[in-house]
Amino acid sequence: MMIDPISIFLVLLGAATPILFAALGELVAERAGVLNLGVEGMMITGALAGFAAAYGTGNPFLGFLVAAIAGAAISLLFAALTQVFLGNQVASGLALTLFGLGLAAMLGKPFEGVRAPVMPAGPLRINWIVWLGLVMVPALWWFLNRTRRGLILRAVGENHEAAHALGYNVRLTRLAAIAFGGAMAGVGGAFISIATVLQWTEGMTAGAGWIALAIVVFSNWTAPGVLAGAWLFGGVTVLQLRLQAAGVAVPVQLLSMAPYLATIIVLVAISARQKYSRRAGTGAPGSLGTNFHALR
Amino acid sequence: MIALIPRTTPAPQWQLATPLLAVLATMLTGGLLFAIMGYDPVAAIRTIFWDPLFGPASGYSRPQLLVKAAPLILIASGLAIGFRAGIWNIGAEGQYIIGAITGAAVALAFYPLEAWWLFPLMVAAGMAGGWAWGMIPAMLRNWFGASEILVSLMLVYVAQRIAAWMAFGPMRNPQGMGFPGSRNLQQYPSAANPELIAGTGAHWGVVAAAVAVLGTWVLMSRHIRGFHIRAAGTAPRAARFAGVRPAVLVAFCLGLSGALAGAAGLFEVAGPAGQITDRIGVGYGFTAIIVAFLGRLHPVGILLAGLLLALTYIGGELAQLTMGLPAATVQVFQGMLLFFLLGFDLLTRFQIRRRVRA
């Protein structure tokens, strides 16, 4: 078999896309100061809703739209818990993941065993959604670093007290960031069911949401860093699949651990660099994971 | 307008009332969900919450209550201690799987030897396996500052694949005619974890769960380490000045919760499950997180919450059997329960007042 670098790169792009979307969405939420551990739950919701819509209408693009709406909708449960009821963000995010996994499994039963409509290939034989993901990287970088709204969002994430004192609406900003994160996670999940696997199976996101969370740490909370992290993860996934296909003398189950082990190793390496680097501190937003309650 | 005034200490009456409110709200919303799906909501709720205890088939389902509750209580007791200190072990599911594997490995290594010390040794091995798996995120956090949430979670997926590898590879039953899965420990008397009192469902895991409830209660309310844990959770800076070493707490909490989850895994593989398969992890580690929160991170609360969540498992199975409800309904119920609890928790931490215009 000839090893064609271009075709490998195309496979890598596809493998990286679900994580890229989810991680970009989580990046925006975290830059607004919200740690949403519900990514996995939002992804699986998007995977199911998108698949159902694509199957029902025969239009994959409509599927992605519905997936974004569904992801945003379910993220509002988390938003209500943390922004209105001031619940603990870690626990609320976990609740969203557990609930989303259950809900998708329950509602997904009728969609087992059917195939999604085939997507038309985009420019250069690359899926349209892959292109969209690649465009989102500079777009979000520009939004966060070069626009007024991006500045406000970062201010809210960096120091919510100060942002509030300046008259910015902390709660509304965070609500919008959470909903955006949900929509992105929904699209990421739908990419797995509509564009990669072409069918619905229970628990099909298989930890991709958690890997996305790790990639945000890896990226040091920057959009280009997220792209690098998603490609690294995509590379490990593709490599692992190639080794499986080549029949390497390592059990399949052990090879399939590779993406998770790679995530741990990368997370450790990045955390260590952030912990021991000469320049104190990390790119983590100052108010990350803490709730804001305005007394006045 | 409504104003929220933070309370200096959580309101004790609401701490007791909010779990009950959450259960009630879950039943109402669940009923609504069933109605939308075209099921009779009253019958569904009764099947899940009443019939397993008092219905016609309760003779079979009541013993199952202890079987399902034991691992939940065992795991949640450990998790709650860490949660109190702000140490988030989300990977109990992985520690449970590894405990099952290491415990079963001891049994399989000595097969077919019959000896009284084999089962205690298996318990020790199960706990050691869970402990070791829990120490990985603890050490990575202490040495490198890696998030224990993400590392412990990634290790769940790794553990699942180790279990699959074991079931298809090294631990496969040589007399299993090529089917995946280890020897059945239930058929190996010295290694089996049988029902201790006929008709109750109580096995050694139930005894261990009771000991865990007592032990964690003593630890949290009577021991200096429990005080350190509570201090670290409420005021980390102050705790550090008081001589609490965070690294020690991280290792202690993740190690302890890992050991308890590992024990739960061993009791399950030697008892109800019987063998190592690629499906040995059934989600107890995740449901235990809900148990810990619903139980207010308090040992007695966890005991009650564990029994309640066990009830939803059994009732869910019953509703699946008699009404054709999808199996995942239970998971949805459990998720909703946690949602409502976290929402109602507002009442324990804030006073609600009408805002007076100045």
Side-chain angles (χ1 to χ4, degrees), chain B residues 153-319:
Chain B
L153 222 132
M154 285 297 126
L155 287 173
V156 174
Y157 296 96
V158 175
Q160 283 170 349
R161 274 149 187 87
I162 292 180
W165 174 48
M166 287 293 157
F168 285 87
M171 281 190 175
R172 188 199 293 231
N173 184 358
Q175 285 146 16
M177 309 205 283
F179 283 103
S182 71
R183 281 181 199 282
N184 196 319
L185 299 182
Q186 285 170 336
Q187 288 150 19
Y188 179 13
S190 285
N193 172 26
E195 203 176 40
L196 295 174
I197 306 161
T200 58
H203 55 63
W204 282 111
V206 176
V207 179
V211 173
V213 167
L214 261 174
T216 49
W217 180 78
V218 170
L219 173 76
M220 290 311 286
S221 59
R222 292 284 177 277
H223 196 277
I224 181 73
R225 175 142 283 163
F227 170 74
H228 282 174
I229 288 166
R230 282 182 286 142
T234 43
R237 264 175 66 81
R240 214 167 291 193
F241 286 124
V244 177
R245 282 186 296 162
V248 174
L249 273 194
V250 167
F252 176 79
C253 290
L254 275 156
L256 179 71
S257 56
L260 290 179
L266 175 275
F267 290 126
E268 197 67 15
V269 74
Q275 54 175 171
I276 293 286
T277 64
D278 56 341
R279 291 170 187 277
I280 184 76
V282 288
Y284 284 141
F286 294 115
T287 306
I289 296 170
I290 301 176
V291 171
F293 279 111
L294 193 66
R296 313 262 58 157
L297 307 183
H298 187 280
V300 178
I302 286 171
L303 179 70
L304 297 173
L307 288 168
L308 179 74
L309 274 267
L311 184 65
T312 64
Y313 272 125
I314 299 159
E317 277 171 26
L318 205 61

Side-chain angles (χ1 to χ4, degrees), chain A residues 84-244:
Chain A
V84 180
F85 291 96
L86 302 169
N88 176 302
Q89 291 184 10
V90 173
S92 303
L94 279 172
L96 180 61
T97 286
L98 295 173
F99 179 70
L101 286 171
L103 190 70
M106 185 171 91
L107 300 178
K109 275 283 167 236
F111 297 99
E112 279 177 358
V114 298
R115 282 185 79 78
V118 177
M119 278 194 86
L124 301 175
R125 287 190 292 132
I126 295 172
N127 189 304
W128 288 100
I129 303 299
V130 174
W131 280 115
L132 179 66
L134 293 177
V135 170
M136 286 305 269
V137 176
L140 282 179
W141 178 87
W142 181 78
F143 168 75
L144 286 171
N145 298 298
R146 291 290 182 270
T147 67
R148 188 176 157 74
R149 286 196 180 278
L151 181 67
I152 295 171
L153 184 133
R154 283 186 291 135
V156 163
E158 209 56 59
N159 187 337
H160 50 210
E161 297 289 350
H164 174 70
L166 286 170
Y168 300 125
N169 193 332
V170 174
R171 203 181 277 187
L172 199 66
T173 307
R174 287 189 171 166
L175 262 167
I178 293 167
F180 177 78
M184 292 286 279
V187 172
F191 191 84
I192 301 176
S193 62
I194 300 177
T196 312
V197 187
L198 299 176
Q199 56 182 357
W200 161 257
T201 48
E202 207 179 302
M204 70 188 309
T205 46
W210 297 105
I211 293 173
L213 278 157
I215 283 177
V216 176
V217 179
F218 169 85
S219 78
N220 207 24
W221 290 268
T222 65
V226 165
L227 182 68
W231 279 1
L232 182 73
F233 173 85
V236 172
T237 306
V238 171
L239 185 70
Q240 173 259 121
L241 290 171
R242 292 265 154 161
L243 288 174
Q244 274 189 31

Side-chain angles (χ1 to χ4, degrees), chain B residues 27-123:
Chain B
M27 286 186 185
L28 285 174
T29 323
L32 198 69
L33 191 69
F34 292 141
I36 294 169
M37 290 169 66
Y39 298 96
D40 175 1
V42 179
I45 299 295
R46 201 192 54 227
T47 309
I48 294 174
F49 288 97
W50 180 265
D51 284 357
L53 291 175
F54 308 107
S58 60
Y60 167 75
S61 56
R62 235 179 282 164
Q64 284 293 309
L65 199 64
L66 288 180
V67 173
K68 301 271 188 205
L72 293 177
I73 294 169
L74 206 49
I75 302 170
S77 300
L79 291 183
I81 290 173
F83 291 173
R84 281 264 184 117
I87 296 160
W88 298 93
N89 178 10
I90 308 301
E93 182 76 5
Q95 293 139 20
Y96 170 96
I97 293 171
I98 296 298
I101 292 173
T102 51
V106 168
L108 296 172
F110 285 102
Y111 183 86
L113 176 85
E114 299 286 354
W116 65 267
W117 46 261
L118 187 60
F119 190 70
L121 189 67
M122 287 162 62
V123 176

Side-chain angles (χ1 to χ4, degrees), chain A residues 35 37 40 74 77-78 81 84-88 90-107 109 171 202 206-208 210-211 213-215 217 251 253-254 256-257 259-261 263-264 267-273 275-276 291 293-296, chain B residues 3-6 33-34 37 83 88 90 136 140-147 149-155 157-166 168-169 286-287 289-290 293 326-336 338-346 349-350 355:
Chain A
L35 179 67
L37 296 185
E40 181 82 2
I74 201 166
L77 289 173
F78 170 84
L81 278 182
V84 180
F85 291 96
L86 302 169
N88 176 302
V90 173
S92 303
L94 279 172
L96 180 61
T97 286
L98 295 173
F99 179 70
L101 286 171
L103 190 70
M106 185 171 91
L107 300 178
K109 275 283 167 236
R171 203 181 277 187
E202 207 179 302
W210 297 105
I211 293 173
L213 278 157
I215 283 177
V217 179
Q253 296 90 358
L254 296 187
S256 62
M257 281 178 201
Y260 308 104
L261 287 177
T263 305
I264 294 176
L267 195 64
V268 165
I270 295 296
S271 306
R273 204 189 71 195
K275 184 175 176 180
Y276 298 112
N291 278 339
H293 175 57
L295 283 173
R296 280 178 299 142
Chain B
L4 299 174
I5 317 291
L33 191 69
F34 292 141
M37 290 169 66
F83 291 173
W88 298 93
I90 308 301
I136 300 173
L140 294 183
R141 172 169 161 173
N142 283 344
W143 293 336
F144 306 112
S147 155
I149 297 177
L150 294 173
V151 173
S152 65
L153 222 132
M154 285 297 126
L155 287 173
Y157 296 96
V158 175
Q160 283 170 349
R161 274 149 187 87
I162 292 180
W165 174 48
M166 287 293 157
F168 285 87
F286 294 115
T287 306
I289 296 170
I290 301 176
F293 279 111
T329 313
V330 183
Q331 233 181 316
V332 177
F333 256 77
Q334 294 176 348
M336 279 201 293
L338 186 50
F339 268 135
F340 282 120
L341 182 77
L342 294 169
F344 284 129
D345 235 8
L346 180 79
R349 289 172 296 117
F350 293 90
R355 178 170 283 174

